Amino acid sequence: MELHHEFTVPVPVDDAWRALLDVERIAPCMPGATVDDYDGKTVTGSVKVKVGPITVTYRGTAVFEEQDESAHRMVLIASGKETRGQGTARATVTGTLAEHDGGTAVSVRTDLTVTGRPAQFGRGVMAEVGDKLVGQFAECLARRLEESTARTEPPEAVEPFRSAQPVQPVQPVEPVEPIDLLRTAGPPVAKRVAVAVATAVLALVFVRIRRHRHA
């Protein structure tokens, strides 16, 4: 399926370009995503998706196939596989940036292929979920960029704190919340999805009953 999303961020195009390529910096804005490693071209990580009571985790990589700074165009190819299942996800993401009223307009085109449980929702639901997830990402990115541009004055030099107490271990990072498809989609879409899930469950029960009777 092909998806198209657009959003704007309140910074010049060159600043937005550098920010979008700083994967580790913007990773917290990506719903459900965890970045394990990034070498400047290849991203390794995972994405969690929640479908009702079921949570699906995809692990994989994303590779920047193109980074055209002069045209402000990037192409990212991502692929992943369920950690506990046979489902897969593959996407070719093309992003272009352009100046717009002192800020930057970002256009993202995604060619997405999904197999497994999330695929049952179809293009309509996935498009609506994608719209809301991109909206959340754009708001988070804009907020971070505004905060960084507001810090124009260098921080004052502070003497390092020295303590006789032993250094405490760093606290573990809290687990990333999965993308909740039903909650993200909203009541109208969630209702349609719930009906689809209920129908699938009933069909499965019916098949098992028939098998039991034949046995």
Side-chain angles (χ1 to χ4, degrees):
M1 69 184 74
E2 293 186 0
L3 306 173
H4 182 211
H5 301 96
E6 294 182 343
F7 60 92
T8 59
V9 289
V11 295
V13 64
D14 289 335
D15 293 343
W17 172 261
R18 287 191 293 268
L20 288 173
L21 290 180
D22 191 348
V23 174
E24 295 173 326
R25 176 186 176 191
I26 66 173
C29 290
M30 302 176 184
T34 300
V35 174
D36 297 328
D37 186 54
Y38 176 52
D39 61 8
K41 182 178 180 180
T42 302
V43 185
T44 303
S46 62
V47 176
K48 291 183 179 181
V49 179
K50 186 177 181 182
V51 185
I54 302 171
T55 298
V56 180
T57 301
Y58 292 92
R59 289 197 61 83
T61 59
V63 180
F64 282 100
E65 290 293 314
E66 180 181 335
Q67 295 182 15
D68 189 339
E69 185 173 0
S70 60
H72 295 124
R73 182 178 185 272
M74 65 182 74
V75 178
L76 183 72
I77 297 179
S79 61
K81 186 179 182 300
E82 286 185 35
T83 57
R84 296 182 180 179
Q86 299 301 315
T88 61
R90 180 177 175 82
T92 299
V93 183
T94 303
T96 55
L97 284 65
E99 294 183 4
H100 179 71
D101 293 337
T104 301
V106 183
S107 174
V108 181
R109 292 189 178 275
T110 306
D111 186 358
L112 176 65
T113 302
V114 180
T115 65
R117 283 162 286 191
Q120 65 184 302
F121 300 137
R123 186 187 184 284
V125 173
M126 296 299 289
E128 292 186 50
V129 171
D131 288 341
K132 295 195 175 184
L133 292 179
V134 170
Q136 294 174 17
F137 171 77
E139 290 178 5
C140 177
L141 178 62
R143 186 167 59 251
R144 285 175 174 267
L145 290 175
E146 286 179 331
E147 290 173 354
S148 63
T149 54
R151 298 168 187 163
T152 55
E153 297 183 1
E156 296 181 1
V158 179
E159 287 293 327
F161 176 74
R162 302 181 184 278
S163 173
Q165 299 296 326
V167 178
Q168 297 296 324
V170 177
Q171 295 297 323
V173 178
E174 295 183 2
V176 175
E177 286 294 322
I179 302 171
D180 192 328
L181 291 185
L182 299 187
R183 185 174 62 183
T184 303
V189 177
K191 184 177 180 180
R192 298 203 304 269
V193 173
V195 171
V197 173
T199 302
V201 171
L202 288 174
L204 181 60
V205 172
F206 179 70
V207 170
R208 288 185 175 179
I209 290 175
R210 288 190 62 185
R211 287 179 179 175
H212 178 72
R213 286 179 177 176
H214 285 303

